[in-house]
Amino acid sequence: MSINTLVSTGTMVGRSNGFNYKRALYEIKKLQDKGFCVGCELMMLTFFYDKLGDIVSEVQKSDVNPVTIHCEKEIGTKISDAGVLMSDGKPDEAEELYREAVRLARELEMPRMVLHLWGGFSSDRNVEYNISKLPELTSIANENGVRLLIENIPSSAHDPLSNWHKVLPYLGNGGFIFDTRFGKLHEQINLTDKVIDERIEHIHVSDFVGGYRNFSALRPILHPRDGVIDFDEVASLLYDINYSGTLTLESPVMVGEELDIPK
């Protein structure tokens, strides 16, 4: 079993440090050179949309290997709101943001994109509507050489695993990305659904201190071993399914304007 480790730029870029993505790329390159990771997962932020050209240039200059792009989470929220409220404009807003992320992925030749297909207050209350948008989103990605990965994000009406089963017939050439924190939130950390396991090709790693559906415990995002997730069990389960995909550390290291790189 071989797993390639990535670092999310989201662990180092935020409001507290002025969204300093150049510093993040510099630190990730050092980790990459030391063999701690093979590259980065680029987290899209609202701050980035009017700087896409600069971001492409900085990533290319940094020599960081951009393996995966993570769409802005607001996309899933806008789709969910449209599905529940049937409000005008929201699907178009979501598609506009999505196309910008796809464009960035194409420019940086990132082959995969992580998407929150539902989210926000409306969450998965009308998940069938969200899923109905998937073929179009998949087509946009594929036209630009990008494959779509759907994440097991928190669900208020159903649960991530049952939603994934609903997604399967519409997934096309896409896959799933499993987040340990969200898995623990729903007590779905065991990875023993063979149909689903075969489509999981990316893992997000962070810890969680709450119990079943304790949504208030989702923040702050904890580092492995700082919460209640049994990562020895997670590693064993990944071994049992012969997992050979990628794994991204998602736990932030921002301390004000500084970065706790040893952490």
Side-chain angles (χ1 to χ4, degrees):
M1 183 176 74
S2 176
I3 298 177
N4 288 320
T5 304
L6 312 175
V7 175
S8 172
T9 57
T11 66
M12 303 183 189
V13 180
R15 187 172 287 104
S16 66
N17 63 6
F19 301 102
N20 191 349
Y21 63 91
K22 296 180 183 180
R23 168 77 186 280
L25 292 169
Y26 171 77
E27 296 293 350
I28 293 173
K29 178 60 165 61
K30 289 199 296 184
L31 293 169
Q32 182 178 298
D33 288 346
K34 292 176 181 178
F36 287 120
C37 65
V38 299
C40 79
E41 177 170 334
L42 185 64
M43 171 71 78
M44 282 294 291
L45 301 170
T46 302
F47 170 80
F48 286 172
Y49 286 109
D50 63 349
K51 297 176 174 61
L52 295 187
D54 292 338
I55 291 170
V56 169
S57 176
E58 290 299 329
V59 172
Q60 290 172 337
K61 285 194 300 184
S62 73
D63 282 332
V64 167
N65 182 23
V67 180
T68 301
I69 186 168
H70 191 310
C71 283
E72 188 187 1
K73 299 168 186 178
E74 187 70 11
I75 291 172
T77 298
K78 290 180 181 296
I79 295 174
S80 292
D81 288 349
V84 171
L85 304 174
M86 298 303 174
S87 54
D88 292 335
K90 287 291 179 69
D92 291 337
E93 287 182 54
E95 184 177 321
E96 183 179 344
L97 297 178
Y98 179 78
R99 285 184 180 276
E100 288 293 278
V102 170
R103 181 165 71 88
L104 184 59
R106 184 189 66 219
E107 292 290 326
L108 290 172
E109 298 182 345
M110 289 183 279
R112 302 182 310 175
M113 170 178 286
V114 173
L115 176 67
H116 288 195
L117 187 57
W118 58 90
F121 178 78
S122 299
S123 187
D124 60 337
R125 285 162 56 194
N126 192 16
V127 74
E128 288 77 12
Y129 175 84
N130 300 58
I131 293 171
S132 74
K133 309 299 293 183
L134 188 54
E136 179 183 3
L137 298 175
T138 298
S139 177
I140 293 170
N142 288 347
E143 288 169 3
N144 289 273
V146 182
R147 289 180 52 254
L148 207 51
L149 307 181
I150 307 301
E151 188 166 355
N152 62 321
I153 67 167
S155 307
S156 60
H158 309 288
D159 63 86
L161 184 58
S162 68
N163 286 341
W164 268 356
H165 276 282
K166 294 171 186 173
V167 164
L168 266 174
Y170 306 92
L171 193 57
N173 71 336
F176 293 129
I177 176 270
F178 179 79
D179 187 296
T180 56
R181 183 168 52 113
F182 300 152
K184 186 61 178 175
L185 172 71
H186 289 279
E187 293 297 348
Q188 293 181 344
I189 201 80
N190 54 354
L191 298 174
T192 56
D193 186 318
K194 185 175 181 180
V195 174
I196 294 297
D197 292 347
E198 291 175 349
R199 304 299 290 271
I200 295 175
E201 57 185 80
H202 190 41
I203 307 285
H204 282 168
V205 172
S206 59
D207 215 332
F208 182 66
V209 77
Y212 177 66
R213 287 185 179 271
N214 184 356
F215 292 94
S216 64
L218 286 171
R219 295 285 192 280
I221 302 173
L222 303 177
H223 284 263
R225 307 294 191 191
D226 287 349
V228 299
I229 295 176
D230 185 342
F231 282 97
D232 290 329
E233 178 188 14
V234 173
S236 178
L237 289 165
L238 292 175
Y239 181 84
D240 288 344
I241 66 173
N242 196 30
Y243 182 74
S244 59
T246 47
L247 180 151
T248 292
L249 177 67
E250 277 211 322
S251 312
V253 296
M254 290 170 283
V255 184
E257 295 182 1
E258 297 304 315
L259 299 176
D260 186 353
I261 300 302
K263 179 69 171 179

